[in-house]
Amino acid sequence: MYDLFQELIKAQLAAAPATLQTAYAFTGREFVWMRTQLSLVTGVYVGFAICFPVAFLVLLLATGSFRISVFAIATIAFVVSSLLGFVAAFLGWELGTGEAIAATIVIGLSVDYTVHLGHMYVEAELRSREGKLTTAATNMGVTVVAGGVTTLGSAVFMYACQLSFFSKMATLIGGTIGLSVLYSLFFFMPLCALIGPQGEIKSVGERVRALCGGGKTKQPAV
């Protein structure tokens, strides 16, 4: 509609006298709100472009394993893309104001469970892949599932709200939590079981000290 208005104005101004060359279409707040919505949607893509590299660097610093960091960031990307794809394909939602605001929150929620499992995997004292996986699943698996249940329970109450934004937020939060639990347990953990790092996984600080000649160290896992 905005483009149609602009074409109409341009066509009229082409033959208008000089005193009318400043004419423009006025529709109250509609065009202003349109610009706001466009900025919010653009902010989602900018947020993705910032959050994913930053999340990867934080994961790399926290775990000390490039392989675990790649597994984790891939899991997070699958959670976000699956959620936004589901609401677009099956619920018919477009990337509007409410979705744009909620999408920035989705990234933070989708990181949580994968980070916990990955950190427990690299911190496990056992050196074998099976031992590390068992430690992570035993010590953190129940916590991940319990955290997912409580967060889903908190999202249910927003369905009683009258504003559509909150019901959409409840759907997005619930979908994020459900997909995060599924992907972290049945995608991230199987990846670690198949090709996860083994041996002693050193922190970034230990690797830097080793490169700077800070003493003899064992060959780190990646």
Side-chain angles (χ1 to χ4, degrees):
M1 189 59 66
Y2 175 80
D3 292 336
L4 289 176
F5 265 114
Q6 294 303 314
E7 292 298 327
L8 176 62
I9 294 298
K10 288 180 181 179
Q12 296 298 320
L13 292 181
T19 54
L20 295 178
Q21 290 298 317
T22 57
Y24 61 92
F26 176 75
T27 59
R29 62 187 291 270
E30 297 302 326
F31 284 175
V32 177
W33 182 237
M34 180 197 71
R35 290 295 184 184
T36 303
Q37 290 177 313
L38 289 174
S39 298
L40 288 171
V41 173
T42 302
V44 173
Y45 298 113
V46 174
F48 286 171
I50 295 174
C51 289
F52 278 104
V54 171
F56 177 78
L57 290 177
V58 171
L59 287 165
L60 186 60
L61 291 173
T63 63
S65 172
F66 180 82
R67 199 182 309 180
I68 290 293
S69 302
V70 171
F71 294 167
I73 206 68
T75 304
I76 296 166
F78 279 131
V79 172
V80 174
S81 59
S82 297
L83 176 68
L84 297 181
F86 174 82
V87 297
F90 294 97
L91 301 182
W93 293 4
E94 295 182 357
L95 190 57
T97 305
E99 293 82 0
I101 295 174
T104 57
I105 304 174
V106 164
I107 302 176
L109 291 174
S110 61
V111 170
D112 195 16
Y113 304 132
T114 304
V115 169
H116 287 319
L117 291 170
H119 183 262
M120 185 59 64
Y121 182 94
V122 300
E123 290 293 326
E125 296 182 356
L126 300 175
R127 294 175 176 268
S128 66
R129 187 177 292 144
E130 290 184 2
K132 291 180 178 296
L133 185 71
T134 301
T135 300
T138 303
N139 296 339
M140 197 56 64
V142 176
T143 304
V144 166
V145 174
V149 171
T150 55
T151 308
L152 283 173
S154 65
V156 169
F157 291 96
M158 285 193 288
Y159 282 111
C161 298
Q162 295 181 348
L163 294 177
S164 60
F165 170 79
F166 292 106
S167 61
K168 285 187 175 182
M169 181 71 75
T171 300
L172 291 171
I173 291 177
T176 301
I177 297 303
L179 290 171
S180 295
V181 173
L182 289 176
Y183 274 108
S184 62
L185 294 178
F186 300 107
F187 177 75
F188 176 76
M189 294 299 281
L191 277 179
C192 294
L194 292 174
I195 52 176
Q198 302 185 80
E200 182 182 2
I201 304 176
K202 295 186 176 298
S203 66
V204 174
E206 291 173 331
R207 292 170 186 264
V208 172
R209 286 193 294 270
L211 291 174
C212 294
K216 296 182 179 179
T217 57
K218 297 180 180 179
Q219 182 68 26
V222 294

